[in-house]
Amino acid sequence: MAWDFETDPDFQAKLDWADAFVRDEVEQLDLVWPGEQFTPLTGKRREAIEPLKRAVREQGLWATHLGPDLGGQGYGQLKLALLNEILGRSSWAPIVFGCQAPDTGNAEIIAHYGTPDQRHRYLRPLLEGEIFSCYSMTEPQAGADPTRFETRAVRDGEDWVIDGWKFFSSNARTAAFLIVMAVTNPNVAAHQGMSMFLVPTDTPGVRIVRNVGLYGEPLDEGTHALIHYDHVRVPAEALLGGEGQAFVIAQTRLGGGRIHHAMRTIGLARKALDMLCERALSRETAGSRLADKQYVQGYIADSYAQLTQFRLFVLYTAWEIDKYNDYKKVRKDIAAVKTVMPTVLHDIAWRAMQVHGALGVSNEVPLFTMIHGAAVMGLADGPTEVHKTTVAKQVLRDHVPSPGRWPTEWIPGRLEAARVKLADYLDREAGNL
């Protein structure tokens, strides 16, 4: 029987190295080059960051989730989860370690469904960190319902022509190529009539109408593009996977993306908990430290319990993915992790913000940014409410209605059945009275 909560000592040594490396070498990048992690490296930034990437490769920690044939280590999702707990503290860390979203999920589907030419053209430079990618799926009118997508791709001789609108296409502004989901056959069910295409961002007709930002960012300076695909012509070999395979590919892409977000959220929530504890030990008011106040102690206890439960659930789900190598089989737990994730980050960051007082809501500490990030995580890769219905439906498959009028745990009925089963013993007991 295998049941273990320990990390292999050799890999733990690598994690210890990564922890110190991120704190000492990588987190400074977040301060001096904020928001530039998805901008292609040039000049001084390249000079500063390339040595960091080399150090990661020398430690065997570059793109750990991908196989050696793709430039990774083949460690799988569980070890990636342990590593991502560390990387989640820093916006730049996933870039330096070759496992940043959305590129990890995009690389995974190109590796799985791409032709040799597609892997050479897009996957290799993506894995090397030389280019970035964009997953262009959501549409303005459709929200979380892909059955309402209107973007069309029509075959025209040897080419496909794409027309339509996509919304919140993250990193399109700096991406070298887009993975575009479009309707190729409107006469069949949506899950059979959509296809994926690899589209270079400089293709004629690809027009970024505006770059939508998050709350607090200047207008048109965000990273989530509204894109108009205006008669965009791509060759037949731009098709990713088979025609009509978009839904199958999307589940692979989104399943990986969701669990990777959860892995990194552990690190971010732990950072908030560390800030909460540090502040509680450092600040005095009304005659004692904040750490001695029962209310603050409750904050710390609740935060620790939430984070520990969430972490174990994420690690278990990552273990399942490695075991079954089938995102569909782990769909219930991936969806459940996704529903829990925003609340865990929000609650811990909110408590830390309260304990920091006025400083907590300022732009001089990252706590309100974390709370805002929790809201984003509640929508990214599908809203929480949709995933809760997925979890419920999956859970209900393992249950059946009660066979009669009363619930199976109805005590009068169970008591009667128990008396019948134990009648001989009850008769003997009565005879001994």
Coordinates of all heavy atoms in Angstrom, one line a residue, residues 254-298:
L254 N -7.6 23.5 -21.2 CA -8.2 24.1 -20.0 C -8.0 23.3 -18.8 O -7.8 23.9 -17.7 CB -9.7 24.4 -20.3 CG -9.9 25.4 -21.4 CD1 -11.4 25.5 -21.7 CD2 -9.4 26.8 -21.1
G255 N -8.0 22.0 -18.9 CA -7.8 21.2 -17.7 C -6.4 21.5 -17.1 O -6.3 21.6 -15.9
G256 N -5.4 21.5 -18.0 CA -4.1 21.8 -17.5 C -4.0 23.2 -17.0 O -3.3 23.4 -15.9
G257 N -4.6 24.2 -17.7 CA -4.5 25.5 -17.2 C -5.1 25.7 -15.9 O -4.6 26.5 -15.0
R258 N -6.2 25.1 -15.6 CA -6.9 25.3 -14.3 C -6.1 24.7 -13.2 O -5.9 25.4 -12.1 CB -8.3 24.6 -14.4 CG -9.3 25.3 -15.2 CD -10.4 24.4 -15.6 NE -11.3 25.0 -16.6 CZ -12.0 24.4 -17.5 NH1 -12.0 23.1 -17.6 NH2 -12.8 25.1 -18.3
I259 N -5.5 23.6 -13.3 CA -4.7 23.0 -12.2 C -3.4 23.8 -12.0 O -2.9 24.0 -10.9 CB -4.5 21.5 -12.4 CG1 -3.9 20.9 -11.1 CG2 -3.5 21.2 -13.6 CD1 -4.9 20.9 -10.0
H260 N -2.9 24.3 -13.1 CA -1.6 25.1 -13.0 C -1.9 26.4 -12.3 O -1.1 26.9 -11.5 CB -1.0 25.4 -14.4 CG -0.6 24.1 -15.1 ND1 -0.3 24.1 -16.4 CD2 -0.3 22.9 -14.6 CE1 0.1 22.8 -16.8 NE2 0.0 22.1 -15.7
H261 N -3.0 27.0 -12.6 CA -3.4 28.2 -11.8 C -3.5 27.9 -10.3 O -3.1 28.7 -9.5 CB -4.8 28.8 -12.3 CG -4.7 29.6 -13.5 ND1 -3.8 30.6 -13.7 CD2 -5.5 29.6 -14.7 CE1 -4.0 31.1 -14.9 NE2 -5.0 30.5 -15.5
A262 N -4.1 26.8 -10.0 CA -4.3 26.4 -8.6 C -2.9 26.2 -7.9 O -2.7 26.6 -6.8 CB -5.1 25.1 -8.5
M263 N -2.0 25.6 -8.6 CA -0.7 25.3 -8.1 C 0.0 26.6 -7.7 O 0.6 26.8 -6.6 CB 0.2 24.6 -9.1 CG -0.2 23.2 -9.5 SD 0.8 22.6 -10.8 CE 0.0 21.0 -11.1
R264 N -0.1 27.6 -8.6 CA 0.6 28.9 -8.4 C -0.1 29.7 -7.3 O 0.5 30.4 -6.5 CB 0.7 29.7 -9.7 CG 1.7 29.1 -10.6 CD 1.8 30.0 -11.9 NE 0.7 30.0 -12.7 CZ 0.5 29.1 -13.7 NH1 1.4 28.3 -14.0 NH2 -0.6 29.1 -14.4
T265 N -1.4 29.5 -7.2 CA -2.2 30.2 -6.2 C -1.8 29.8 -4.8 O -1.9 30.6 -3.8 CB -3.7 29.9 -6.4 OG1 -4.1 30.5 -7.6 CG2 -4.6 30.6 -5.3
I266 N -1.4 28.5 -4.6 CA -0.9 28.1 -3.3 C 0.3 29.0 -2.8 O 0.3 29.5 -1.7 CB -0.4 26.6 -3.3 CG1 -1.5 25.7 -3.6 CG2 0.3 26.2 -2.0 CD1 -1.1 24.3 -4.0
G267 N 1.2 29.3 -3.7 CA 2.4 30.1 -3.4 C 1.9 31.5 -3.1 O 2.5 32.1 -2.1
L268 N 1.0 32.1 -3.8 CA 0.5 33.4 -3.6 C -0.2 33.5 -2.3 O 0.0 34.5 -1.5 CB -0.4 33.9 -4.7 CG -0.6 35.4 -5.0 CD1 0.8 36.1 -5.1 CD2 -1.4 35.6 -6.2
A269 N -1.1 32.5 -2.0 CA -1.8 32.5 -0.7 C -0.8 32.3 0.5 O -1.0 32.9 1.6 CB -2.8 31.4 -0.7
R270 N 0.2 31.5 0.3 CA 1.2 31.4 1.4 C 1.9 32.7 1.6 O 2.3 33.0 2.8 CB 2.2 30.3 1.0 CG 3.2 30.0 2.0 CD 4.1 28.8 1.7 NE 3.3 27.6 1.8 CZ 3.6 26.4 1.2 NH1 4.6 26.4 0.3 NH2 2.9 25.3 1.4
K271 N 2.2 33.4 0.6 CA 2.8 34.7 0.7 C 1.9 35.6 1.6 O 2.4 36.4 2.4 CB 3.1 35.3 -0.6 CG 3.9 36.7 -0.6 CD 4.2 37.1 -2.0 CE 5.1 38.3 -2.0 NZ 5.5 38.7 -3.4
A272 N 0.6 35.6 1.3 CA -0.3 36.4 2.1 C -0.3 36.0 3.5 O -0.3 36.8 4.4 CB -1.7 36.4 1.5
L273 N -0.3 34.7 3.8 CA -0.2 34.2 5.1 C 1.1 34.6 5.8 O 1.0 35.0 7.0 CB -0.4 32.7 5.1 CG -0.3 32.0 6.5 CD1 -1.3 32.5 7.5 CD2 -0.4 30.5 6.3
D274 N 2.2 34.5 5.1 CA 3.4 35.0 5.7 C 3.4 36.4 6.1 O 3.9 36.9 7.2 CB 4.6 34.8 4.7 CG 4.9 33.3 4.5 OD1 4.5 32.5 5.4 OD2 5.6 33.0 3.5
M275 N 2.8 37.3 5.2 CA 2.7 38.7 5.5 C 1.8 38.9 6.7 O 2.0 39.8 7.6 CB 2.1 39.4 4.3 CG 3.0 39.5 3.1 SD 2.3 40.3 1.7 CE 2.1 42.0 2.3
L276 N 0.7 38.1 6.8 CA -0.2 38.2 8.0 C 0.5 37.9 9.3 O 0.4 38.7 10.3 CB -1.4 37.2 7.8 CG -2.3 37.0 8.9 CD1 -3.0 38.2 9.5 CD2 -3.4 35.9 8.5
C277 N 1.3 36.8 9.3 CA 2.0 36.4 10.5 C 3.1 37.4 10.9 O 3.2 37.8 12.1 CB 2.6 35.0 10.3 SG 1.3 33.7 10.2
E278 N 3.8 37.9 9.9 CA 4.9 38.9 10.2 C 4.3 40.2 10.8 O 4.8 40.7 11.8 CB 5.6 39.2 8.9 CG 6.7 40.2 9.0 CD 7.3 40.7 7.7 OE1 6.6 41.5 7.0 OE2 8.4 40.3 7.4
R279 N 3.2 40.6 10.2 CA 2.6 41.9 10.7 C 2.0 41.7 12.1 O 2.2 42.5 13.0 CB 1.4 42.3 9.8 CG 0.7 43.6 10.2 CD 1.6 44.8 9.9 NE 0.8 46.0 10.0 CZ 1.3 47.2 9.8 NH1 2.6 47.3 9.5 NH2 0.6 48.3 9.9
A280 N 1.4 40.5 12.4 CA 0.9 40.2 13.7 C 2.0 40.2 14.8 O 1.8 40.6 15.9 CB 0.2 38.9 13.7
L281 N 3.2 39.7 14.4 CA 4.3 39.7 15.3 C 5.0 41.0 15.5 O 5.7 41.2 16.5 CB 5.3 38.6 14.9 CG 4.8 37.1 15.0 CD1 5.7 36.2 14.3 CD2 4.7 36.7 16.5
S282 N 4.8 41.9 14.5 CA 5.6 43.1 14.5 C 4.9 44.3 15.1 O 5.5 45.3 15.4 CB 6.0 43.4 13.0 OG 6.7 42.4 12.4
R283 N 3.5 44.3 15.1 CA 2.7 45.5 15.4 C 2.1 45.3 16.8 O 1.6 44.3 17.2 CB 1.6 45.6 14.4 CG 0.9 46.9 14.4 CD 1.6 48.0 13.7 NE 0.7 49.1 13.4 CZ 1.1 50.2 12.7 NH1 2.3 50.2 12.3 NH2 0.3 51.1 12.5
E284 N 2.2 46.4 17.6 CA 1.6 46.4 18.9 C 0.4 47.5 19.0 O 0.6 48.5 18.4 CB 2.6 46.8 20.0 CG 3.6 45.6 20.3 CD 4.4 45.9 21.5 OE1 4.0 46.8 22.3 OE2 5.3 45.1 21.8
T285 N -0.6 47.2 19.7 CA -1.7 48.1 19.9 C -2.5 47.7 21.1 O -2.5 46.5 21.5 CB -2.7 48.1 18.7 OG1 -3.6 49.1 18.9 CG2 -3.3 46.8 18.4
A286 N -3.0 48.7 21.8 CA -3.8 48.4 23.1 C -3.0 47.5 24.0 O -3.6 46.6 24.7 CB -5.1 47.8 22.7
G287 N -1.7 47.8 24.2 CA -1.0 47.1 25.2 C -0.4 45.7 24.9 O 0.3 45.1 25.7
S288 N -0.6 45.2 23.7 CA 0.0 43.9 23.3 C 0.2 43.8 21.8 O -0.4 44.6 21.0 CB -0.8 42.8 23.9 OG -2.1 42.8 23.2
R289 N 0.9 42.8 21.4 CA 1.1 42.5 20.0 C -0.2 42.1 19.3 O -1.1 41.5 20.0 CB 2.1 41.4 19.7 CG 3.5 41.7 20.3 CD 4.4 40.5 20.0 NE 3.8 39.3 20.5 CZ 4.3 38.0 20.3 NH1 5.4 37.9 19.6 NH2 3.7 37.0 20.8
L290 N -0.3 42.4 18.1 CA -1.5 41.9 17.3 C -1.6 40.4 17.4 O -2.7 39.8 17.4 CB -1.5 42.3 15.9 CG -1.7 43.8 15.6 CD1 -1.5 44.1 14.1 CD2 -3.1 44.2 16.0
A291 N -0.4 39.7 17.4 CA -0.4 38.2 17.5 C -1.0 37.7 18.8 O -1.4 36.5 18.9 CB 1.0 37.7 17.4
D292 N -1.2 38.6 19.8 CA -1.8 38.1 21.1 C -3.3 38.4 21.1 O -3.9 38.0 22.1 CB -1.1 38.9 22.2 CG 0.4 38.6 22.3 OD1 0.8 37.4 22.1 OD2 1.2 39.5 22.7
K293 N -3.8 39.0 20.1 CA -5.2 39.3 20.1 C -5.9 38.1 19.5 O -5.6 37.5 18.5 CB -5.5 40.5 19.1 CG -4.7 41.7 19.4 CD -4.9 42.3 20.7 CE -4.1 43.7 20.9 NZ -4.2 44.2 22.2
Q294 N -7.0 37.6 20.2 CA -7.7 36.4 19.8 C -8.3 36.5 18.4 O -8.3 35.5 17.6 CB -8.8 36.1 20.8 CG -8.2 35.6 22.1 CD -9.3 35.1 23.1 OE1 -10.4 35.6 23.0 NE2 -8.9 34.3 24.0
Y295 N -8.7 37.7 18.0 CA -9.3 37.9 16.7 C -8.3 37.6 15.6 O -8.5 36.9 14.7 CB -9.9 39.3 16.6 CG -11.2 39.3 15.8 CD1 -12.4 39.8 16.4 CD2 -11.3 38.9 14.5 CE1 -13.6 39.8 15.7 CE2 -12.5 38.9 13.8 CZ -13.6 39.4 14.4 OH -14.8 39.4 13.7
V296 N -7.1 38.2 15.8 CA -6.0 37.9 14.9 C -5.6 36.5 14.9 O -5.2 35.9 13.8 CB -4.8 38.9 15.2 CG1 -3.6 38.6 14.2 CG2 -5.3 40.4 15.0
Q297 N -5.5 35.9 16.0 CA -5.2 34.5 16.1 C -6.2 33.6 15.3 O -5.8 32.6 14.7 CB -5.1 34.0 17.6 CG -4.0 34.6 18.4 CD -4.1 34.3 19.9 OE1 -5.1 33.8 20.3 NE2 -3.0 34.6 20.6
G298 N -7.5 34.0 15.4 CA -8.5 33.4 14.6 C -8.2 33.5 13.1 O -8.4 32.6 12.3

